[in-house]
Amino acid sequence: MDLKSRLIEIIKSWKGKKIAVIGDVMLDEYIIGKIERISPEAPVPILEVEEERHVLGGAANVANNIKALSGEPVLFGVIGEDHGGEKIINLLSNKNIKHILITDKERPTTLKTRLIALNQQIVRMDREKKYPINNYIQEKLISKFKKYINEIDLIILSDYAKGVLTPETTQKIINIAKSNNKEVIVDPKGKDFSKYENATLITPNEKEAKIATNMEEEWDLIKGAQKLMEIVRGKGIVITRGERGIFLLENDKFFEIPALKSEVRDVTGAGDTVISALSLSLSTGTDILSACIIANFAAGCVVRKFGTSTLSTDELIAIIPEKIEIKNNHVIF
């Protein structure tokens, strides 16, 4: 079987795979309009609003991606007792996404509002509180997760540094997963990646990897990945590199996967698509390199769309090149 056929076979086996997504749940709000004049009050453009829409963001967008790719996500997170929290629950219910969301009366639901004109983002406004969840909320979240552990094929930790995945919470989840022989894939944030110790894989972008290794000034891709491996002590490091594709370090082997050539419209949520496709592939028992190749194609497809978007398995399969080869640590297509 050639590589393309094998990748398609993996994608078709995603159906029904149960993936737990734990992390920072957000609501993305888009206010779209046109700009034709400048305000007389100040030298600023006036946005004439034509459309408003809300979509799932953060960990909720990861769950949404998994659902769109024919998996069965179970979303765990924290929301506020507010309109944003209600909106998230309604969106999840409409998409038939199973969710276990804990309401914290002391913090608002994270809301990211983007003002859009001429298909361009003018400004983004964030309404959020980023302090760590309290012990009561933490224990409640972990208790809910424990009840589902036997039903789940794989766990994703979707960390946006909004306070849900504290070091203590993160380590408790990883330990529960490992004691039940479940793999944990992490989309990390912050400077200290030691809180992800013993996770199977982490998927930082290149900027995040530079910060976590303190190598911003003298960045070396292979050495940086090796340093991350020493910190996390998992099975591999997956570094997403935007238009340069994906870099994989697995044990002592490394691979470079180039990005698909395409006209990029919007990278919003592309990392969520990467970890969704990667995790679904790994949940089927496939090797990490094949999973990364598929995730790379998924990213190449979703960046062609505007805003926080998902894609289907049919769209993903359609974008896979006819000829794919692996030569000298490089994936060629």
Side-chain angles (χ1 to χ4, degrees):
M1 183 186 296
D2 63 15
L3 187 49
K4 178 178 180 176
S5 299
R6 188 157 67 85
L7 297 180
I8 291 172
E9 191 177 78
I10 293 165
I11 293 166
K12 287 182 175 179
S13 68
W14 290 352
K15 191 171 179 61
K17 287 294 180 182
K18 283 196 174 179
I19 310 293
V21 182
I22 310 171
D24 297 299
V25 173
M26 307 181 208
L27 183 65
D28 285 351
E29 179 180 54
Y30 291 86
I31 299 176
I32 304 161
K34 61 185 178 182
I35 294 173
E36 294 182 335
R37 58 198 178 102
I38 300 297
S39 171
E41 303 165 354
V44 295
I46 296 173
L47 179 70
E48 295 181 31
V49 178
E50 297 175 317
E51 178 190 353
E52 292 183 40
R53 60 187 175 96
H54 294 86
V55 297
L56 297 165
N61 185 46
V62 177
N64 195 24
N65 269 269
I66 290 166
K67 188 72 176 182
L69 291 168
S70 74
E72 288 299 330
V74 184
L75 177 64
F76 296 84
V78 179
I79 56 173
E81 192 177 49
D82 51 25
H83 178 68
E86 291 173 10
K87 197 79 179 174
I88 285 172
I89 289 171
N90 288 336
L91 287 168
L92 290 167
S93 299
N94 290 341
K95 293 174 180 290
N96 199 25
I97 295 173
K98 189 172 184 62
H99 51 278
I100 296 92
L101 299 179
I102 297 158
T103 301
D104 186 344
K105 295 178 181 180
E106 297 177 1
R107 63 197 296 140
T109 302
T110 297
L111 174 64
K112 293 183 178 180
T113 302
R114 297 172 175 90
L115 305 187
I116 310 291
L118 297 171
N119 283 333
Q120 289 187 328
Q121 191 175 149
I122 303 166
V123 68
R124 193 180 93 184
M125 302 180 293
D126 291 359
R127 282 166 273 191
E128 61 190 11
K129 297 292 183 186
K130 297 188 281 188
Y131 51 79
I133 56 174
N134 62 43
N135 289 338
Y136 172 74
I137 298 292
Q138 173 188 282
E139 291 305 321
K140 201 171 178 182
L141 183 68
I142 289 167
S143 175
K144 297 282 187 184
F145 167 64
K146 272 184 180 177
K147 290 179 181 178
Y148 280 87
I149 190 68
N150 292 324
E151 298 178 30
I152 287 161
D153 295 306
L154 185 144
I155 295 107
I156 293 174
L157 298 184
S158 180
D159 195 350
Y160 277 82
K162 306 300 182 188
V164 171
L165 289 173
T166 64
E168 186 180 4
T169 304
T170 303
Q171 274 302 299
K172 283 184 177 180
I173 292 167
I174 291 171
N175 289 336
I176 292 165
K178 289 299 179 183
S179 64
N180 286 274
N181 297 313
K182 309 290 183 181
E183 307 280 28
V184 180
I185 316 300
V186 181
D187 189 357
K189 277 289 183 296
K191 293 182 178 180
D192 184 8
F193 281 13
S194 64
K195 76 176 191 178
Y196 309 119
E197 186 176 354
N198 294 320
T200 308
L201 286 177
I202 61 169
T203 65
N205 62 40
E206 198 158 13
K207 182 181 179 182
E208 291 164 343
K210 289 176 183 179
I211 292 168
T213 55
N214 199 26
M215 293 174 67
E216 291 122 301
E217 299 301 319
E218 297 179 356
W219 174 244
D220 180 287
L221 190 57
I222 296 174
K223 288 180 180 177
Q226 288 170 335
K227 191 169 181 179
L228 289 176
M229 185 75 98
E230 289 170 10
I231 296 168
V232 178
R233 299 194 302 150
K235 290 183 180 177
I237 305 295
V238 178
I239 299 176
T240 58
R241 309 181 68 211
E243 61 187 18
R244 287 172 290 181
I246 286 177
F247 176 86
L248 166 64
L249 175 69
E250 183 183 4
N251 298 319
D252 58 348
K253 299 178 290 183
F254 70 88
F255 299 93
E256 292 191 45
I257 308 166
L260 274 173
K261 290 180 181 177
S262 63
E263 185 177 332
V264 176
R265 288 191 65 195
D266 197 339
V267 297
T268 305
D272 296 339
T273 303
V274 166
I275 201 167
S276 299
L278 180 69
S279 299
L280 281 165
S281 297
L282 293 172
S283 74
T284 70
T286 194
D287 63 283
I288 297 174
L289 177 57
S290 296
C292 284
I293 295 171
I294 291 171
N296 183 63
F297 291 143
C301 188
V302 82
V303 296
R304 299 178 182 186
K305 302 183 179 187
F306 180 75
T308 308
S309 304
T310 61
L311 71 153
S312 67
T313 52
D314 287 342
E315 287 177 294
L316 177 53
I317 288 169
I319 209 171
I320 298 175
E322 284 299 323
K323 190 174 181 182
I324 311 167
E325 296 179 297
I326 301 168
K327 287 184 179 179
N328 301 323
N329 305 103
H330 287 77
V331 176
I332 302 165
F333 48 81

